[in-house]
Each structure stands twice: as C-alpha cells, then as structure tokens.
Amino acid sequence: MNQETNSNMKSPASSNSGKWTRRLVLPVAIVALAVGTWYYVHSRTFESTDNAFIDGGIVQVSPRVSGQVVRVYVTDNQRVTAGDLLIEIDQRDYALRVAEAKAQLANAEARFSSAQTGVGLTADITGAGLSQARAAYDAAGNQTEALLDNLNQQDADIQAAAATLRQTEAGKLAAEAVAQRARADAFRYRNLFAKDEVSKQALDRSEAEAKTSEASLEAATHAVVSAQARLEQSRAARASSQSLFKQSENLVKQASGKLQEARASSSQVRIRQAEVKSAQAQIAQLASMIQQAELSLSYTKVYATEAGVITRKSIEPGNYVQVGQSLMAIVTDRLWVIANFKETQLTYMQPGQSVDIHVDAYPQHSIKGKVDSIQSGTGARFSLLPAENATGNYVKVIQRMPVKITFIDQPPTEIRLGPGMSVIPTVRVR
C-alpha cells in the first residue's frame, strides 16, 4: 500500500519532466541540425587557417660609399617618406676628389686646345715646307736637265771643232807641200834664169806662185791655230758646264733630301692629330671620373627609397661605415599575408577570391583582401633541409602550400600592422 501510495505520489512529477524533455528535444535537434548545416555549408564554402602571418617589403639601408657618419636624422620606429634624408657621411674626401678630377679635366681641355692649334699650325708649316721643297726640287731638276742638254750640245761642238782642226791641219799640210814645191820651183827658175835658160816671165810666175803658196800656208797655219783655239774654248766651256752640272746634281740631291724631309715632316700632322685624339679620350675619361666622383659625393647622403617605418637602426654619429653595411631597415607600406594552407584546402582555391583577414592583435577588426597567387611547391620542398621521402620508413603527412593574399581595404588608422604578425585568413572558395 505504501508502494502504491509512493507511486501515485511520484507519477505527477515524472509525467511533468517527461513532458519538458519532449518539449526540449525538438528545439535542440533543430538547433543542432542548423549548426551542422551551417558548418557543412561553411566548410564547403570557406577555407581558413591559423598558420598565416603578415609579410611585407623590407628595404635594408646600406651606404654605397665608406666613411665616418657625421649626422643621423632618424630614430627607431620613426615614419619616413620617400626622399627623406636618413644619414650623412663625411663628404670632404669625396669633394676633394671631385675638385681634383675637375682640375685634371681643365688641364686636359687645355692640352686638347693646344693640340688642335698645333694641328693647324703644323699642317700649314709642313704644307708650305713641302711646297717649297717640291718647287726647289723641280727647279733643280729642270736646271740639271738644261745643263745636261748643254753638255750634250757642247760635246757636239767639241767633236765639230776637233773635226775642223783635223781639216785645217790637213789643209796646212797640203799648203806646206804646195809652198815647198813652189819654193823649190822658184829656186830652180832663178838658177835657170841666171843661165838664160828660162824667160823672165816664167821666173816671175814661179815666184808669184811661191808667194801665193806661202800665203796659203800662212792662212792654213792661222786656220789651224784658230781651230785649236775653238777646240780648247769648247773643252773649257764643257769643263765649266760639267762643273755646273755636278753642282746642279748636288742641288737636286739636296732638294730631294729636303723634299723627303718635308714629306716626313707631314707625319708630324698625324702625330698632332693623334695627340688631339688622345686628349679627347682623356677628356672623356676625366669627364667620366668627374661623374663618378660627383656620384660618390652624392652617396654621402643616404635617402629613403620608399615610405615606411625605421626599424633595427644600428648606426650613430661618429661610426665608420663600410660599403654594403646594414645600417637600418625600412618596413615599407607594401604589406601582404602569407597563409600556409593544407594541400587539401586548395582544391577550389583560385587567385582573385575574396578573403576576410582577422589580425590576432586586433580581433575585433576584419580586413578585406584577395588571393593574389599560390606558390608552385610546398613550403617543405623549399626549406633548408627538404625531406627525403625515398629513404627510410615513409609516413604520409599533409603538406602546406604558401598562398599570397593582398589587402583590398586599407587597415583602419588605429591598426598598425607589421611583418610577422599572426592573422587568420578566411577564403571564400565557392
């Protein structure tokens, strides 16, 4: 009876709890179904990962010349714009190099001007000397030819005078023979006349013939003397002409030597021209040296190449810096996200898809971005020591692929992003 009473007493409560249980099952099932449906749809529509971080352009600031730093114009975490002066290196040595190069250039330009003037002057002098030497050579040659013709003529005159002399000598011999015969006849006729064997007329005729033959002999003798004189005169004239001819030949040789010297002196023009070209080349070289020196002088001032924030500053005034030494870094405004998605998450991922980016430091903000590109290769493949899956036991591990995500919207002003900050990107793949 007590049991029945107890069962009767519990039955209203049990019935009420059963009613409430039945009433809660349906809403919970509906909520679970909705959550499951949302998760299923979300998992097929979006891909997300927490293996992501912000990356960006980091410009290392290094000097292009060595020297002592005299001024530093920035501090750590200071924002700069492109073209801002960051540091200044002592420029006195480089300014002296510029001045020295300019002085050398001025000297080379003076030598170039002098060489140019020398080319014209040398050309004029050598041209005039060559013309004079050629004229003297031609005149000496013409004179020599004239003297040679005169010598040939005088040789002909000597031969004619010799022939005339031989002719007059032969005439003299004939005259002597006639005169001797006439003298003998006259002597004989005198003897005969003394004996009255011949007439006076015959004696007079023989004496007249003797006188005539004597006169002819005297004339022949004078003719021989005259021919001898003409021959000697011709020989003397030829000797004089021969002497003049030798002198003229010497003049020709001298003129030829001067002509060769004048022609050789024309090489001075080429030498001067070579000096001009050498001076031009030196001017070009020195101009290049000036440009290099001025460029090195300009490198004593280091400017920001991009806008950004100064980080890792390791330079102070008075430090001596070398070429290529890292002085500071500029974190530029070019930022992006590198998200390492699992390879199974990349089935429907394509460049251009929209991305919601949540920064761990600012969870209340969501920044819009888009998929820029997907790396051709896993991160492990490009590591320092890539895995050698062909050796030892193999355990399959899902690999991750770096995906570059760029920002579409500018982050709010209260958000300050930097390389290395963790983010969670959610990509809409469908």
Side-chain angles (χ1 to χ4, degrees):
M1 186 175 180
N2 291 332
Q3 292 176 353
E4 292 179 358
T5 303
N6 292 334
S7 62
N8 291 331
M9 293 176 63
K10 292 179 179 179
S11 61
S14 299
S15 61
N16 290 334
S17 63
K19 291 179 181 179
W20 281 107
T21 301
R22 287 192 298 272
R23 290 177 181 177
L24 290 175
V25 167
L26 183 59
V28 170
I30 293 173
V31 170
L33 179 62
V35 171
T37 302
W38 177 86
Y39 180 78
Y40 175 76
V41 173
H42 185 273
S43 64
R44 290 179 59 85
T45 306
F46 299 93
E47 295 290 352
S48 179
T49 182
D50 59 355
N51 188 351
F53 56 91
I54 294 176
D55 201 353
I58 300 177
V59 179
Q60 296 293 333
V61 179
S62 301
R64 302 180 70 173
V65 293
S66 60
Q68 188 176 24
V69 177
V70 293
R71 291 183 184 85
V72 179
Y73 296 94
V74 293
T75 60
D76 285 316
N77 303 318
Q78 177 182 338
R79 183 166 185 81
V80 295
T81 59
D84 285 351
L85 181 60
L86 304 179
I87 65 171
E88 186 175 352
I89 300 173
D90 189 359
Q91 62 180 359
R92 288 175 294 181
D93 290 341
Y94 300 98
L96 287 175
R97 292 178 187 176
V98 172
E100 181 181 1
K102 287 183 177 180
Q104 292 179 354
L105 178 61
N107 186 22
E109 288 176 343
R111 288 200 310 106
F112 173 72
S113 177
S114 176
Q116 273 190 324
T117 304
V119 167
L121 183 60
T122 304
D124 293 339
I125 293 174
T126 55
L130 183 61
S131 298
Q132 292 177 359
R134 187 178 290 112
Y137 178 76
D138 293 339
N142 294 332
Q143 183 180 1
T144 303
E145 290 179 359
L147 289 173
L148 181 60
D149 293 339
N150 189 25
L151 281 175
N152 294 330
Q153 181 63 39
Q154 288 176 345
D155 287 337
D157 292 342
I158 290 173
Q159 291 177 359
T164 301
L165 177 61
R166 289 193 296 272
Q167 184 179 1
T168 56
E169 286 179 344
K172 179 182 178 182
L173 291 175
E176 284 179 347
V178 172
Q180 186 176 1
R181 182 176 58 81
R183 284 195 297 270
D185 288 344
F187 180 76
R188 188 171 55 251
Y189 273 94
R190 288 191 192 98
N191 291 331
L192 293 174
F193 179 75
K195 296 177 180 180
D196 292 328
E197 293 180 0
V198 294
S199 65
K200 177 68 173 173
Q201 183 179 3
L203 177 61
D204 292 338
R205 185 173 57 248
S206 63
E207 288 181 351
E209 288 178 359
K211 291 180 181 179
T212 301
S213 62
E214 289 293 336
S216 297
L217 177 60
E218 187 177 358
T221 302
H222 286 300
V224 170
V225 172
S226 177
Q228 287 178 341
R230 283 198 300 270
L231 179 59
E232 294 298 329
Q233 184 179 5
S234 296
R235 287 175 177 173
R238 188 187 185 285
S240 177
S241 297
Q242 182 69 29
S243 177
L244 292 176
F245 178 75
K246 289 182 178 180
Q247 292 178 2
S248 180
E249 281 186 332
N250 292 331
L251 290 176
V252 169
K253 292 179 180 179
Q254 293 177 3
S256 177
K258 290 183 178 179
L259 180 60
Q260 294 297 328
E261 183 180 356
R263 287 175 178 172
S265 64
S266 62
S267 62
Q268 296 294 325
V269 177
R270 292 191 294 272
I271 294 174
R272 293 293 184 180
Q273 290 173 344
E275 291 178 354
V276 169
K277 291 182 179 179
S278 176
Q280 284 179 329
Q282 188 176 12
I283 287 173
Q285 181 182 7
L286 290 173
S288 177
M289 290 177 59
I290 288 176
Q291 292 179 354
Q292 181 63 46
E294 290 177 343
L295 195 61
S296 298
L297 179 62
S298 67
Y299 290 156
T300 58
K301 293 183 178 180
V302 181
Y303 297 90
T305 57
E306 290 190 50
V309 178
I310 299 295
T311 56
R312 299 178 62 84
K313 185 177 79 70
S314 60
I315 188 65
E316 296 295 337
N319 292 152
Y320 190 89
V321 295
Q322 299 288 346
V323 177
Q325 178 182 342
S326 179
L327 305 181
M328 63 188 73
I330 300 176
V331 179
T332 66
D333 296 333
R334 296 180 289 107
L335 300 176
W336 58 87
V337 173
I338 298 296
N340 298 303
F341 284 96
K342 296 178 181 179
E343 55 187 329
T344 55
Q345 294 178 288
L346 302 179
T347 305
Y348 302 104
M349 193 173 297
Q350 298 291 335
Q353 294 173 340
S354 62
V355 184
D356 289 329
I357 302 171
H358 292 85
V359 184
D360 289 2
Y362 307 99
Q364 69 277 18
H365 293 284
S366 177
I367 306 173
K368 293 294 182 180
K370 67 176 182 179
V371 176
D372 180 79
S373 58
I374 301 173
Q375 179 175 297
S376 297
T378 65
R381 185 65 184 84
F382 294 99
S383 63
L384 181 62
L385 298 173
E388 294 291 342
N389 295 328
T391 61
N393 296 326
Y394 172 67
V395 178
K396 182 176 180 179
V397 179
I398 296 176
Q399 301 295 318
R400 290 183 178 270
M401 302 278 285
V403 177
K404 183 178 180 180
I405 300 171
T406 57
F407 292 98
I408 297 177
D409 297 338
Q410 291 295 329
T413 55
E414 64 270 18
I415 294 180
R416 186 169 183 175
L417 303 180
M421 297 180 69
S422 299
V423 298
I424 300 177
T426 303
V427 183
R428 186 179 182 89
V429 295
R430 290 187 180 181

